[in-house]
Amino acid sequence: MGRYLIRRLLQAALVLAVISAITFFLFWATPANPALLICGKNCDTETVAQVNATYGFDDPLIVQYGNYMEGLVSPAGRTIGSEGNERECAWPCFGESYQNGIPVWDSISDAFPSTLWLAVGAAVLWLVSGVMLGLIAALRKGKFIDKFSVGLSLFGVSFPTIVFGYLLLFLFIVKLQWIPFPDTANAALFTVGPVKWLQFYILPWITLALVFAALYTRLTRANMIDTMNEDYIRTARAKGLDERTVVFKHGLRSALTPIITIFGLDVGGLLGGAVITEQIYSITGLGKFSIDSVLANDLPAIMGVVLFAAIFVVVANIIVDVLYAVIDPRVRLS
Amino acid sequence: MNSKGDAVSESAKSRPFLEVKDLQVHFPTDDGLVKAVNGLSFSLERGQTLGIVGESGSGKSVSSLAIMGLHKGSRAKVTGEIWLDGAELVGMSVPEIRRMRGRQMAMIFQDPLSAMHPFYRIGDQLVEAYLVHNDAPKAVARKRAVELLDRVGIPSPDKRFSDYPHQFSGGMRQRAMIAMALMCDPSLLIADEPTTALDVTVQAQILDLMQDLQKEFNSAIIMITHDLGVVAQMTENVVVMYGGRVVETGAVRDIFYRPEMPYTWGLLGSIPRVNKTGSARLKSIRGTPPSLINLPKGCPFQPRCDQQAHVEGRSCVNELPELLQIGQDGHSVRCHIDTGQRKRLFAEEIKPNL
Ligand SMILES: Nc1ncnc2c1ncn2[C@@H]1O[C@H](COP(=O)(O)OP(=O)(O)OP(=O)(O)O)[C@@H](O)[C@H]1O
Ligand SMILES: [Mg+2]
């Protein structure tokens, strides 16, 4: 187990290194000119040359990449800026934004809580509703409630998030005015209090959860129907167990195993930012941050958000694999 | 031992311990109604063993599931009567029959590979079977589980208790399955091909074990098997099934030495014998089992029967022969051929070739 984890973590580091290299070199393969972006209005040949020297854009790409990685790998971070104007960039150093000079790590840590709350709230919502609906549908297969939930989930997967989100916003905030228009870009639970916090997040949660809830309903239903036809379910009944034990202890346990793993990967993916939902509700999370960075050709910001998101995906993968081995004794980690 | 009230045992006296009467199990499917069991009747007393034989698809497993009430809640249509110890099972509600499962009747399932839950330890699955019906501490249940694992021949049972099903070999799993069925000392044990995955020595041990337990608890056993050797060794009475019906039934010696139904002759002819040579060694019954969706109107065995020429005055194609008793001991046969003629045929044509 210990050796397995170490090997997986080393693999993860390698994956992240490859991702960072690809992002870095892809960026420079585009006709972007960060120096022009940095000096902005006062650009002339001289300032551009100066900026290039300051930021090291003159160095070979491989050297630049090495410098960048040093800030992530070395516990002391690294020094950035030109001579006479040097600044310490503490670990983890993702560099400074070309747009505004703000350390990328600061922006990421500011944006992350919103993304985290959005993802976690939505995840709870879709997991509970999806599994419950799927379970009920499976146990009442062919009955009205089954057809209803199958129809609902078909609707859910085919309804574009962006349309659904704006519809919710328009209906509940603009038209019915059940929910006040959010007056902050980010609602932190401890500063605005639970009521405002819920009002802020409820529609984004529903928006983000819809597609997932629909998928999880279908998945749970299909898995549960398969599982309840297994011979070991018949054995459980033949022992004299009551139907509740049969369904929950013997049926759901098997049916949920694959769902748990998919759930881990989905949540891990969303922690890098839910672009569309954050955009609709103007939540300044990682999703919005990544769009802004890409539109501005802001390499350090793009690198930062890509790597940060990748870390969650990679870690979620490891957690899911370990969890799978814990749940299913037939799976051995090696 | 029997905790049932007097009123129940009163009516039980007039009935056999287990009585299946005109059992029908039909499955509605997209292709049509699958008539898996069509009017099955037999009875069984405590302390006795009944063998059920018949080729694959003849409805043996489906009938046993009906006795366990395991078709309830599915689309299967079950009609007829099943009386167990004075209680009628077909009309019983799920919560009622649930309390009988595992305790009054238990089943050893045909396929032990898939019949155990892959996520739970073997021991825990046995313990669970005990604790459903016994209000006992877990330690007691555990002790019982280890003891039974030992009795079915699992080596170092207290260690193997903690293994998962996939860590057991096929034969060990089958033995664990048997141990699980025995956890609550059931008074009726249905064993659906319990020894097919086992080698001959282990098979003999298991059969011995079942006989011991039967003596100890005076339980009734239904032994479903393809192995006529097992039937000969274990059972007092035999039911031969074909197309979801009984085609011949009787005491085991009648079935082996005085069989009268051409299908039974076929079954006996297909037992491998070392002393036979050449083409005479193994005779299979020609043709295939009937479609259960379009059952023949007449005798279900008619399309495969080589003895139709001996029928007089009846039509094998159009008339279903009744299951008629001949002689004593409940030996009954479903065949249009006259019984005297059948006896002669068996003695002159069939027996010499067996
Ligand atoms: N749930 C079901 N739906 C439709 N048909 C079924 C169902 N269960 C069983 N059958 C059919 O009923 C028939 C009898 O099956 P059964 O399992 O009782 O055979 P069996 O005598 O036990 O055979 P084997 O010796 O191979 O175990 C088969 O043709 C089978 O296809
Ligand atoms: Mg069977």
Side-chain angles (χ1 to χ4, degrees), chain B residues 174-239:
Chain B
Q174 189 135 35
R175 282 181 268 172
M177 189 76 224
I178 294 170
M180 189 152 85
L182 299 176
M183 282 300 280
C184 297
D185 304 324
S187 30
L188 170 66
L189 181 66
I190 304 173
D192 196 350
E193 297 179 31
T195 54
T196 25
L198 304 178
D199 61 77
V200 201
T201 19
V202 178
Q203 180 174 336
Q205 285 168 13
I206 294 292
L207 295 179
D208 279 351
L209 172 75
M210 287 173 62
Q211 276 174 327
D212 287 353
L213 292 162
Q214 180 170 43
K215 276 191 206 105
E216 208 170 310
F217 300 108
N218 197 30
S219 24
I221 297 180
I222 295 179
M223 176 68 76
I224 298 173
T225 179
H226 291 286
D227 188 338
L228 291 172
V230 172
V231 172
Q233 185 192 339
M234 288 282 293
T235 69
E236 285 91 24
N237 293 295
V238 181
V239 165

Side-chain angles (χ1 to χ4, degrees), chain B residues 27-29 34-37 54-63 65 71 74 76 110 192-193 224 226 241 292:
Chain B
F27 300 100
T29 64
V34 176
K35 300 183 184 110
V37 180
E55 67 198 324
S56 190
S58 54
K60 306 180 297 290
S61 300
V62 169
S63 316
L65 293 178
H71 293 303
S74 80
Q110 190 169 5
D192 196 350
E193 297 179 31
I224 298 173
H226 291 286
M241 279 186 80
L292 296 174

Side-chain angles (χ1 to χ4, degrees), chain B residues 242 286-290 296 298-306 308 316-317:
Chain B
Y242 188 81
R286 70 177 170 88
T288 50
C299 174
F301 189 58
Q302 175 272 326
R304 301 169 71 185
C305 185
D306 291 328
Q308 289 171 60
C316 289
V317 184

